[in-house]
Amino acid sequence: MNQASGIVFQVLQSVLVVLIAPLMLGWVNQCRAWLQNKSGAGIWQPYKVLNKLFHKDAVLAHNASPLFRATPYVLFGCMWLAVGIVPVLATDLPFAPAADVIALVGLFALARVFVSLAGMDIGTSFGTLGARREMMIGFLAEPAMLMTLFTASLISHSTSLVTIVETLGQREFVIYPSMAFAAVAFLMVLLAENARIPIDNPSTHLELTMIHEAMILEYSARHLALIEWASSLKLTAYITIGFAIFVPWGIAQAGDWIGLPIALVALVVKLALAGAGLALIETVSAKMRIFRAPEFLGTAFLLATLGMLTHFLLEQ
Amino acid sequence: MNLPLSSQLINLFAALLLLLAFAMLTQRRILSLINLFALQGFVLVLSTGIVAYSTNQSHLYYSSLLTLILKVLLLPWILHRLIRALNVRWDVEPLINIPATMLIGIVLVIFAFNLATPISQIAGTITKSTLGIATASILLSFLMMITRRKAVSQVIGFLAMENGLFFAATSATYGMPMVVELGIALDVLVGTLIFGVFFFHIRETFESLDIHHLEKLKER
């Protein structure tokens, strides 16, 4: 019975997150448009874009290798698996023991390696440029991300996200100063990893400073659709990891059918607030020069390290 | 790990204080530096207020009120007026680049935490675990004074160091005697005013606020 409910939760969560990920992106874009006094394209726009792209014929460069064709599927698969592991709706997930937070970071790294290789595969200068920048951002963001997750792990004595959620969500409310540091660091990593504004501008591919868009410039039609979908999934995955660590309330426990609607409502509210917050951050901040990015991510790493240090000082 | 709420809040504010100390260390603009200094003062006021409330030390209320008036309102106002009068809103030029400064800062924090742990173990106050953070923020302000070239940001570093000292006094012994505190507050105020006059003199003599020029003041 328990196992059956676990499988149901797992399937439900995986399908739900894949379906609402473009909506999340649409909501962020809509909020940004509102904040900039524009009317915006509506929150369903990403679905329309995906639909349009899936109905087009794919164009491939003559010298494209199988790697170039395979990358969109690998990318989408990685991101889907990631959202399957993160406890979004329920903690009772059969997939979750497959990977702890370290493996999760590894999963994101795998996706990054593939998309960078695909960017270089065609041999255009833009793809190579984007791939190199992406790897630079990645190698700076990963340690900060790991340190952030370790702070949560130190508190809950486990690297499994499910255990972290169960420990933090069940316990009576305690203020962890170390988590405040970790939260700021995590936010900075989230912005950098998802190509959001202080590091990269997601709404243009006409800039010399672009990172993510430069790598996927050669993709079209269904490949591009999968990549766009995977990007929105990545954003959702990061935001839900943030929820799991910093606001783990409302996630349904094992075999808790009554908790499921509550978890659903809590998720929608949290995602809506997070999307609006993200749009606000992107509106009030300006894009950095690429050479400021190491400083930005260095600060994230520093904050995460400080979080761990304050944990040892204040919470032992 | 089941501390009372007041103690948790004090720990949180201590962490915020450390965060602000780092933010000041990495800040490039003088204007934001002053705002951060005012914010640090405000966090100090809140944490002192909570210590006062939870330990029933009425004199701490006065000192937090003094901090509010002096460090959150008066000193930032003076500094704002100063930089407007001196017309210095340019970016601060640190001597060491900022990532390196942050790494040195982390080393300082580890040093301060290690230094404070044995002391806080023998202390009996509810704020004992924040002593490490207070020491760290003093050292970080000190680092800021060393790595900055411009006189205004050095003075802000000096004032931030005073914030750290005040916090250390609160966390180690529930604050200093009122006479000492009043004396220090007056000293800081007068010090800032004198620094303000100095800024004008430095600028008049060297046409810059870069204290690098002061090295030439040698007798032949």
Side-chain angles (χ1 to χ4, degrees):
Chain A
M1 172 59 207
N2 212 1
Q3 194 155 13
S5 81
I7 291 167
V8 171
F9 278 155
Q10 179 77 67
V11 171
L12 193 68
Q13 176 188 315
S14 302
V15 172
L16 181 84
V17 174
V18 167
L19 290 180
I20 64 167
L23 183 66
M24 178 68 196
L25 198 62
W27 168 245
V28 173
N29 289 340
Q30 183 64 45
C31 284
R32 269 179 78 180
W34 279 334
L35 284 169
Q36 291 162 359
N37 264 343
K38 297 175 188 165
S39 54
I43 55 173
W44 306 105
Q45 186 61 29
Y47 294 102
K48 290 174 193 162
V49 171
L50 288 181
N51 187 35
K52 179 189 82 183
L53 288 174
F54 272 121
H55 282 93
K56 282 190 169 182
D57 285 331
V59 180
L60 280 176
H62 288 300
N63 54 354
S65 70
L67 183 105
F68 186 78
R69 284 160 172 267
T71 294
Y73 303 100
V74 174
L75 195 59
F76 189 77
C78 280
M79 294 311 157
W80 200 0
L81 183 60
V83 291
I85 293 165
V86 181
V88 178
L89 278 181
T91 56
D92 182 24
L93 301 171
F95 270 13
D100 59 359
V101 285
I102 302 169
L104 199 62
V105 174
L107 200 61
F108 288 125
L110 179 72
R112 180 181 303 123
V113 167
F114 264 90
V115 77
S116 302
L117 286 178
M120 292 191 280
D121 188 59
I122 299 292
T124 59
S125 49
F126 257 134
T128 316
L129 177 145
R132 289 164 71 170
R133 287 178 178 172
E134 169 81 1
M135 290 319 271
M136 184 188 83
I137 301 287
F139 109 93
L140 291 163
E142 251 166 44
M145 176 79 177
L146 278 175
M147 285 303 231
T148 309
L149 296 170
F150 286 158
T151 309
S153 300
L154 278 171
I155 290 172
S156 56
H157 302 291
S158 165
T159 55
S160 155
L161 260 181
V162 171
T163 321
I164 292 173
V165 170
E166 278 173 349
T167 322
L168 293 177
Q170 300 277 302
R171 190 179 279 189
E172 60 172 313
F173 182 69
V174 179
I175 300 172
Y176 293 105
S178 57
M179 289 301 252
F181 283 105
V184 179
F186 183 80
L187 183 67
M188 294 169 88
V189 173
L190 186 147
L191 291 172
E193 284 266 20
N194 288 290
R196 308 309 294 190
I197 244 176
I199 299 293
D200 192 5
N201 193 346
S203 59
T204 176
H205 47 258
L206 290 169
E207 271 187 56
L208 277 172
T209 53
M210 61 193 173
I211 300 170
H212 182 252
E213 292 292 328
M215 282 187 296
I216 61 169
L217 213 53
E218 295 292 326
Y219 278 108
S220 60
R222 59 177 187 276
H223 297 135
L224 184 60
L226 276 179
I227 288 182
E228 298 270 331
W229 203 343
S231 317
S232 66
L233 268 177
K234 188 178 183 184
L235 179 65
T236 316
Y238 265 89
I239 290 176
T240 47
I241 292 172
F243 291 158
I245 298 173
F246 303 111
V247 274
W249 300 288
I251 295 172
Q253 301 300 313
D256 183 8
W257 291 98
I258 306 141
L260 198 60
I262 301 170
L264 200 61
V265 172
L267 177 71
V268 170
V269 170
K270 282 193 277 190
L271 278 180
L273 287 178
L278 188 61
L280 187 68
I281 292 172
E282 286 202 287
T283 310
V284 297
S285 54
K287 195 188 160 307
M288 281 181 198
R289 285 192 299 146
I290 188 105
F291 297 112
R292 283 281 166 85
E295 198 176 290
F296 181 79
L297 289 164
T299 312
F301 179 73
L302 169 119
L303 290 174
T305 315
L306 276 182
M308 277 177 72
L309 289 175
T310 42
H311 171 77
F312 287 119
L313 184 76
L314 296 178
E315 292 154 21
Q316 285 290 302
Chain B
M1 189 48 232
N2 272 326
L3 296 169
L5 184 68
S6 58
S7 179
Q8 284 180 35
L9 279 175
I10 291 164
N11 282 352
L12 182 70
F13 286 129
L16 275 180
L17 215 62
L18 189 59
L19 190 65
L20 286 171
F22 262 103
M24 286 166 85
L25 193 64
T26 57
Q27 187 53 251
R28 281 206 166 86
R29 300 218 172 100
I30 288 186
L31 214 60
S32 328
L33 206 57
I34 296 172
N35 292 339
L36 282 173
F37 169 71
L39 197 64
Q40 198 187 32
F42 188 64
V43 172
L44 201 61
V45 169
L46 289 181
S47 99
T48 315
I50 290 167
V51 174
Y53 176 75
S54 55
T55 58
N56 284 323
Q57 305 262 339
S58 56
H59 77 275
L60 276 180
Y61 283 119
Y62 298 120
S63 57
S64 82
L65 192 70
L66 195 67
T67 315
L68 180 70
I69 294 168
L70 196 65
K71 286 179 198 150
V72 184
L73 303 173
L74 196 58
L75 282 181
W77 181 70
I78 293 175
L79 286 169
H80 270 295
R81 274 197 47 173
L82 260 178
I83 63 161
R84 219 175 317 146
L86 291 164
N87 203 13
V88 279
R89 282 181 204 166
W90 57 69
D91 286 3
V92 183
E93 285 289 320
L95 283 175
I96 313 171
N97 69 356
I98 286 187
T101 317
M102 289 194 294
L103 287 179
I104 299 172
I106 283 216
V107 174
L108 282 180
V109 170
I110 295 170
F111 173 73
F113 281 13
N114 272 322
L115 191 71
T117 312
I119 303 170
S120 55
Q121 266 163 3
I122 52 173
T125 55
I126 60 160
T127 49
K128 60 184 178 182
S129 50
T130 56
L131 189 61
I133 286 184
T135 321
S137 49
I138 295 168
L139 288 178
L140 286 175
S141 312
F142 207 46
L143 180 65
M144 188 178 130
M145 283 178 74
I146 294 169
T147 58
R148 294 306 168 93
R149 201 175 276 169
K150 296 276 160 34
V152 181
S153 41
Q154 289 203 337
V155 168
I156 296 171
F158 170 75
L159 294 173
M161 195 156 80
E162 211 279 320
N163 273 353
L165 279 171
F166 182 82
F167 189 66
T170 319
S171 55
T173 58
Y174 293 144
M176 292 169 274
M178 206 61 215
V179 183
V180 180
E181 227 156 73
L182 275 173
I184 291 175
L186 204 65
D187 274 359
V188 168
L189 186 61
V190 172
T192 314
L193 290 174
I194 293 173
F195 275 132
V197 178
F198 261 142
F199 289 158
F200 284 101
H201 280 288
I202 292 172
R203 201 183 55 158
E204 251 173 47
T205 320
F206 302 109
E207 296 184 340
S208 157
L209 277 177
D210 199 330
I211 49 105
H212 174 69
H213 296 292
L214 292 182
E215 287 167 13
K216 290 176 195 154
L217 278 177
K218 282 178 188 162
E219 281 185 61
R220 299 218 176 133

